[in-house]
Amino acid sequence: MRRTTTLRTGLSALLLLGTWATASALPASAADAPARSTEAPASSALLSAMQRDLGLTREGAEARLAAEKTATAVERKARNAAGPAYGGSWYDAGSGTLTVAVTRAAHADAVRATGATVRLVRYSARQLDTAKKSIDALPAPAGVGSWHVDPKANKVVVDVVAAHRDDNDVRAFLTRARQAGPVTVRQTPAAPRTFAAGTVGGDPYYTGNVRCSIGFSVHGGFVTAGHCGSPSAAVYGWDRSYVGSFQGSSFPGNDYAWVNVGSGWWTVPVVLGWGTVSDQLVRGSAEAPVGASVCRSGSTTHWHCGTVLAKNETVNYSQGAVHQMTKTSVCAEPGDSGGSFISGDQAQGVTSGGWGNCGSGGETWHQPVNEILNRYGLRLHTA
């Protein structure tokens, strides 16, 4: 979008990309954006989207955002209080409380003092993470969708595509996975896939014959999904004018990238609401706990909300495994790849892939934004 374009057109068009992007500022040192917030970060339209997708009343959505903000702060304190006995944590929307698992009763009082509920478990988060890393090293067949540490189950959960649960290679994988540590198996209806799309007119950004969505503005450009483009690939905006190029990209293994911005394009700390909800300001990147609400903006299905289901999950795409992903109940479709995941006013990550669609439902994974910022030495553009 060039500077000669009218402001009204510029605002509506660039916001179609999911956020804005800057021509003047350069990447800064690696740092997580501060978790600054206002007392009322949610717009009325954001609350409406949560009502639609989560079945809440307006008052319920406001109360949930407030409780989740508290839980996010409590989680950091509780993790420190638990020390090596920390076994993970999760937020319960019904009670509005954060539960922290610990392996030693002696640490329970200190954790409770932070405001968290305590559950005694057998395995620490470190032990479960070690088991998961061992499973990460195994070659996974197509019938295995993903695997992650589930603190509530206190095990590593392996998701197997239902139609392939009895395949010999799936059974062999599960046998080896169980040798790595405590494992439980669940079924998923479909295999994960990325959400890039072939070119269709008018939306977000294009590279080659692929359309994807902008994630979040950083000083100097924007972050997005790695499977959308390779390093040095040119990027074009909604009007096919040149925006910049991929400065870094990783996929598989990871699924993140960043694009520099110039040629009259600029950045602002905004996630697009697509006219369905108000555009949302980005004020930081504090990571929401498992169980918290989260919303996604993308160029195909626009704005949808759900909850965080799991963290640090390994997703087995047909192109290869991607690690340290966050799984959510939010739907997505081709073209949404790279788009924004946000909780309240806090950036969470960029859309990677999933299964299902926004008609019948499904699950979607995102690559956490703080990992991307640290990997490339970027600074999130915040309001």
Side-chain angles (χ1 to χ4, degrees):
M1 175 173 56
R2 306 197 181 279
R3 295 185 188 277
T4 54
T5 307
T6 65
L7 179 59
R8 183 179 67 81
T9 302
L11 286 171
S12 62
L14 189 49
L15 285 176
L16 285 177
L17 291 162
T19 181
W20 295 65
T22 187
S24 56
L26 294 175
S29 59
D32 295 352
R36 293 190 297 113
S37 184
T38 62
E39 291 185 2
S43 66
S44 59
L46 171 60
L47 296 172
S48 296
M50 293 179 67
Q51 291 174 245
R52 178 196 67 195
D53 292 340
L54 298 177
L56 301 171
T57 63
R58 181 182 179 88
E59 293 74 19
E62 290 175 337
R64 179 159 180 170
L65 286 174
E68 289 172 355
K69 182 179 179 182
T70 298
T72 297
V74 168
E75 184 179 40
R76 291 191 289 269
K77 297 176 183 177
R79 182 188 291 263
N80 291 334
Y86 179 72
S89 62
W90 59 94
Y91 173 78
D92 181 76
S95 63
T97 58
L98 181 79
T99 300
V100 175
V102 295
T103 58
R104 302 172 190 168
H107 291 74
D109 288 342
V111 173
R112 288 192 187 96
T114 68
T117 299
V118 174
R119 178 184 293 181
L120 288 175
V121 295
R122 179 176 179 181
Y123 301 103
S124 69
R126 182 175 300 176
Q127 289 174 304
L128 294 173
D129 287 342
T130 297
K132 180 184 173 293
K133 287 180 181 178
S134 296
I135 299 173
D136 285 346
L138 302 176
V144 176
S146 63
W147 52 96
H148 69 275
V149 170
D150 184 343
K152 195 171 184 179
N154 199 226
K155 293 181 179 180
V156 178
V157 174
V158 179
D159 285 330
V160 173
V161 179
H164 297 281
R165 64 185 184 277
D166 295 325
D167 290 359
N168 290 335
D169 55 356
V170 170
R171 291 186 177 213
F173 177 88
L174 293 175
T175 297
R176 297 184 64 185
R178 291 187 177 99
Q179 294 170 354
V183 165
T184 187
V185 179
R186 297 176 185 169
Q187 292 187 29
T188 184
R193 60 191 174 98
T194 57
F195 285 130
T199 300
V200 295
D203 266 332
Y205 77 86
Y206 300 87
T207 178
N209 66 343
V210 171
R211 169 172 59 84
C212 280
S213 304
I214 284 178
F216 293 97
S217 288
V218 297
H219 290 274
F222 64 82
V223 294
T224 187
H227 70 264
C228 290
S230 57
S232 78
V235 172
Y236 300 88
W238 69 277
D239 60 353
R240 301 311 177 100
S241 67
Y242 179 74
V243 174
S245 61
F246 281 84
Q247 299 298 296
S249 179
S250 179
F251 179 79
N254 307 292
D255 194 7
Y256 51 59
W258 84 279
V259 174
N260 71 334
V261 168
S263 303
W265 294 73
W266 62 92
T267 68
V268 295
V270 170
V271 171
L272 176 66
W274 290 93
T276 302
V277 300
S278 299
D279 300 332
Q280 186 71 19
L281 291 175
V282 178
R283 299 186 184 277
S285 58
E287 187 176 338
V290 170
S293 64
V294 66
C295 297
R296 180 193 55 73
S297 180
S299 62
T300 298
T301 59
H302 300 170
W303 189 275
H304 287 274
C305 300
T307 58
V308 177
L309 299 177
K311 296 184 181 181
N312 191 24
E313 182 153 19
T314 298
V315 182
N316 188 35
Y317 293 127
S318 61
Q319 301 94 328
V322 177
H323 308 291
Q324 296 179 315
M325 303 278 272
T326 297
K327 179 163 67 176
T328 76
S329 64
V330 188
C331 66
E333 295 179 11
D336 288 327
S337 277
S340 320
F341 265 91
I342 189 167
S343 182
D345 57 7
Q346 300 296 306
Q348 299 299 303
V350 300
T351 304
S352 172
W355 60 267
N357 55 57
C358 289
S360 59
E363 295 176 340
T364 301
W365 288 269
H366 66 257
Q367 184 88 63
V369 69
N370 288 330
E371 180 183 359
I372 310 173
L373 300 177
N374 287 327
R375 169 63 180 84
Y376 294 120
L378 302 169
R379 185 158 55 93
L380 188 68
H381 193 169
T382 57

